[in-house]
Amino acid sequence: MTTAAMVAAEKEDHVLIFPFLSKGHTIPLLHLAAALSSRNILVTLFTTPANVPFFSHHLSSSGANATKIQLLILPFPNHPDLPAGVESTDSLPSFSLFPTFLGATTSLHDHFLRLVRSLLSSHPLPSASSPTSS
């Protein structure tokens, strides 16, 4: 990679999006991801395995620039009170399980932080310039 290409890659805008695991939250953020990618902004979306097909289908039909979007998968935790495969509020068999589902989503925290740290180590944040006095 040339020096100019390395400098350009370091300055590339990069947006991380982790929608709450509910279609009402996910759909608008997928629209945002598509809009950003169409402007050549790198977008990283976080989701869980059962939600990947929905993300992929929506993004492929939205005109998103696929080269600018990456999906990072967080393993959804097993919870004894949730049926297997429930990884979004629309797949809850009963809304009475919502508090349990919400509690299970907090278990994604550590995996999410590890992935963000990994992203930051490979794409460090630009150093902030100090304000100048007039």
Side-chain angles (χ1 to χ4, degrees):
M1 181 180 282
T2 67
T3 303
M6 288 188 295
V7 170
E10 288 175 11
K11 293 183 179 183
E12 182 176 38
D13 292 326
H14 188 177
V15 177
L16 308 180
I17 300 175
F18 186 8
F20 181 67
L21 302 173
S22 175
K23 300 295 190 280
H25 292 254
T26 301
I27 292 169
L29 291 171
L30 291 175
H31 286 291
L32 175 63
L36 292 170
S37 72
S38 70
R39 289 167 178 75
N40 289 320
I41 296 172
L42 181 61
V43 178
T44 298
L45 289 161
F46 295 89
T47 193
T48 61
N51 290 300
V52 169
F54 178 80
F55 276 58
S56 298
H57 173 75
H58 185 80
L59 291 169
S60 68
S61 64
S62 68
N65 179 347
T67 64
K68 291 294 183 177
I69 295 181
Q70 66 177 340
L71 288 179
L72 292 183
I73 313 305
L74 301 165
F76 196 86
N78 291 323
H79 192 285
D81 297 329
L82 287 176
V86 171
E87 297 181 14
S88 182
T89 59
D90 65 305
S91 59
L92 288 170
S94 168
F95 198 70
S96 66
L97 289 173
F98 181 77
T100 304
F101 176 81
L102 189 59
T105 64
T106 63
S107 299
L108 298 169
H109 179 263
D110 292 342
H111 293 287
F112 174 72
L113 284 181
R114 274 195 293 279
L115 287 174
V116 170
R117 286 183 184 122
S118 174
L119 285 170
L120 288 174
S121 68
S122 62
H123 296 91
L125 294 173
S127 50
S129 57
S130 59
T132 57
S133 56
S134 344

